[in-house]
Amino acid sequence: MNDLDLLYELSGDEPGSFTITTESGTVYVVDCTRGFLQRFPNVRPPTTDFASIPVYDLRRDESRIPIIRIERLVVGERGVLILDVVEDGQTVTVRSTTPVLSIERTANTG
């Protein structure tokens, strides 16, 4: 990994796949090229601020969920994503994250 692999913000317009780690220990894989997200709760230890707060399972965890729009994914802030969890093209789901610790370009994003 080098500095070019780390981003401060992800808009969704960037090509490739990215790993987002949050303060709760949840990891998200965001594939901007294919337009989907996967959520993996409790992958990493939470930060001290979130150590006593439970991480809940959400609908379709670990499944590929279509992204309608990335509203905000910025290091140090809570992420906000607009998703099509139901995959009906009509039902919009807004998901927020705990503050983002890192955004890293995933290897072999071609």
Side-chain angles (χ1 to χ4, degrees):
M1 175 176 65
N2 61 50
D3 288 343
L4 295 176
D5 295 326
L6 296 174
L7 284 80
Y8 173 73
E9 181 174 5
L10 191 64
S11 69
D13 294 330
E14 304 83 355
S17 183
F18 302 85
T19 300
I20 289 81
T21 303
T22 66
E23 289 194 21
S24 69
T26 297
V27 171
Y28 295 82
V29 174
V30 175
D31 188 325
C32 294
T33 301
R34 294 176 184 88
F36 70 79
L37 162 141
Q38 289 177 279
R39 178 182 183 265
F40 301 93
N42 298 306
V43 172
R44 305 223 169 116
T47 62
T48 304
D49 290 344
F50 288 87
S52 63
I53 300 171
V55 175
Y56 294 102
D57 292 335
L58 297 178
R59 184 176 187 185
R60 299 195 55 208
D61 272 350
E62 300 183 19
S63 298
R64 291 180 176 190
I65 300 172
I67 298 171
I68 296 171
R69 181 175 70 248
I70 295 174
E71 192 67 30
R72 181 178 59 239
L73 272 178
V74 178
V75 172
E77 298 182 19
R78 290 181 175 269
V80 179
L81 302 127
I82 313 300
L83 307 173
D84 185 4
V85 175
V86 180
E87 292 194 61
D88 66 358
Q90 297 178 11
T91 307
V92 174
T93 301
V94 178
R95 288 215 178 145
S96 63
T97 73
T98 56
V100 174
L101 288 175
S102 66
I103 301 170
E104 182 179 344
R105 186 177 302 276
T106 305
N108 301 320
T109 60

